[in-house]
Amino acid sequence: MPQKLADRAATLAPLLSQGWSDVEGRDAIGKTFRFADFNSAFGWMTQIAMIAEKMDHHPEWANVYNRIEVTLTTHDAGGVTALDVTLATEMDRLAP
């Protein structure tokens, strides 16, 4: 079972500098991604969905046209874990 981050502040610092932020009222991180159009947004979501499935770690997300709002937390651990950091890093890597 994944464990919550031991040194949350230091581990999340690189992500926070890339636009991720703490989600108010939860042990979670979130970010809004913007794309040129719906097709670009949906294509990115498809890429991320395949990665998430391989990780067996799925994001909370919502898509409206060219905008995708993402929240990451590990429900089994009750907060942010290394799985969330890995998935957030992949999301940033594949975003335009």
Side-chain angles (χ1 to χ4, degrees):
M1 172 187 234
Q3 299 296 312
K4 289 171 68 169
L5 296 176
D7 190 356
R8 190 179 195 283
T11 304
L12 292 181
L15 291 176
L16 297 177
S17 71
Q18 295 297 315
W20 289 88
S21 61
D22 289 313
V23 174
E24 188 174 337
R26 297 181 63 187
D27 188 356
I29 56 173
K31 183 173 180 176
T32 299
F33 292 88
R34 295 189 188 280
F35 297 85
D37 53 31
F38 178 77
N39 285 335
S40 298
F42 197 84
W44 178 84
M45 287 179 79
T46 302
Q47 288 180 301
I48 299 303
M50 292 187 311
I51 292 168
E53 188 64 19
K54 285 180 186 174
M55 292 177 65
D56 192 27
H57 187 64
H58 305 93
E60 298 173 23
W61 55 9
N63 168 238
V64 177
Y65 184 61
N66 69 335
R67 186 182 77 242
I68 302 169
E69 295 185 20
V70 177
T71 300
L72 297 177
T73 190
T74 303
H75 298 281
D76 293 347
V80 179
T81 69
L83 289 170
D84 301 300
V85 173
T86 299
L87 190 53
T89 301
E90 285 297 296
M91 289 177 167
D92 284 340
R93 184 179 70 80
L94 293 171

